[in-house]
Amino acid sequence: MTQHPTQAVILAGGQGSRLRPYTDDRPKPMVEIPGTGIPIIGHQLAWLASEGVTDAVVSSGHLAEVLEDWLAQAELPCRVTTVIEREPLGRGGGLKFAARSLPRPDEPWYATNGDVWTRFSLREMAAFHAERDATATLALARPRIPWGAVETDEFGHVLDFIEAPPSPYLINAGVYVFSAGFAGLLPERGDHERTTFPGLARERRLAGFPLPQGSYWRAIDTAKDLTEAAKELADK
């Protein structure tokens, strides 16, 4: 088995309703990160290519023609194939549909949600996946809680205010490593997180890779996320 995948799927078919008006005329992955002049998917393809990916399949749906026009004109860092969901298949169905266009079906592959902007070592994640002989591995992030927290003692006295503390829980970061046979476990339509993943977890075939300390990760889901991403970029 190839330890480090060289192929990937990007799920780019979402409506992006919470990002309106940015998504009124473009799909969510085509929204530009302020200050970069590059849409989210451009950052994703550059990152994937830097991690050794030579072939990417982009699964689109909502306003697919806008995405395809950009891909046709951009200087891309890897080979890109687009597939279009003519009707919503759900995330699991969308993954299965896109995986059929991977050039090397007998090799492992990466996948990422089309609204994730992140930087960490995919090669380290692939090695983690291989060491555990997992069927699927998901990246795990610890996001900051968007509200301030209040710390109290056992008597109810307020001790401290903590601005945007890190969550006590890890969440699915929307980036995956899948073994070659994983696509066959996906539903034709529906959500793999409610079907395929729980079954794999019960069989101890699902692994979770915590993002390394200091890794950048943000899901671009709302206009506030765009503003925060631009601020974080400026701070760097």
Side-chain angles (χ1 to χ4, degrees):
M1 185 181 88
T2 303
Q3 189 175 28
H4 304 307
T6 57
Q7 53 188 357
V9 165
I10 299 176
L11 288 177
Q15 296 263 343
S17 54
R18 289 198 288 174
L19 256 177
R20 287 180 177 146
Y22 297 99
T23 50
D24 284 345
D25 61 353
R26 68 196 67 192
K28 190 194 282 191
M30 279 302 300
V31 173
E32 291 185 3
I33 302 292
T36 70
I38 299 171
I40 298 168
I41 195 165
H43 293 282
Q44 290 182 320
L45 288 169
W47 172 52
L48 290 169
S50 72
E51 291 290 330
V53 170
T54 59
D55 295 89
V57 177
V58 178
S59 178
S60 59
H62 175 65
L63 296 173
E65 64 280 1
V66 178
L67 178 59
E68 289 188 316
D69 286 349
W70 183 83
L71 289 170
Q73 297 171 27
E75 288 189 23
L76 301 176
C78 60
R79 288 183 292 272
V80 176
T81 302
T82 56
V83 296
I84 300 175
E85 291 181 37
R86 298 300 176 186
E87 56 185 75
L89 300 174
R91 288 184 297 175
L95 270 178
K96 186 165 195 155
F97 176 65
R100 293 189 180 112
S101 294
L102 288 169
R104 294 173 290 281
D106 57 343
E107 294 183 11
W109 46 293
Y110 297 119
T112 180
N113 295 341
D115 58 358
V116 171
W117 188 27
T118 185
R119 286 290 185 278
F120 65 92
S121 173
L122 281 174
R123 290 182 174 90
E124 284 183 18
M125 184 176 173
F128 179 96
H129 171 84
E131 284 165 7
R132 282 147 188 82
D133 197 25
T135 300
T137 297
L138 52 152
L140 302 175
R142 193 181 297 280
R144 291 199 166 273
I145 297 172
W147 308 282
V150 178
E151 185 181 349
T152 64
D153 65 16
E154 64 269 29
F155 302 108
H157 300 121
V158 173
L159 300 178
D160 200 2
F161 297 90
I162 307 165
E163 188 63 33
S167 167
Y169 298 104
L170 292 165
I171 66 163
N172 181 351
V175 180
Y176 310 94
V177 183
F178 296 135
S179 295
F182 176 76
L185 305 176
L186 288 165
E188 291 294 335
R189 96 178 36 239
D191 190 345
H192 59 291
E193 292 188 17
R194 297 185 179 184
T195 55
T196 311
F197 278 0
L200 288 175
R202 285 191 293 271
E203 296 167 3
R204 298 294 187 267
R205 294 162 61 198
L206 181 67
F209 175 76
L211 295 190
Q213 188 75 23
S215 298
Y216 184 77
W217 179 88
R218 179 172 285 279
I220 308 295
D221 203 36
T222 65
K224 184 180 179 183
D225 291 322
L226 273 179
T227 304
E228 293 290 330
K231 181 178 182 296
E232 288 159 356
L233 187 66
D235 290 345
K236 285 179 183 296

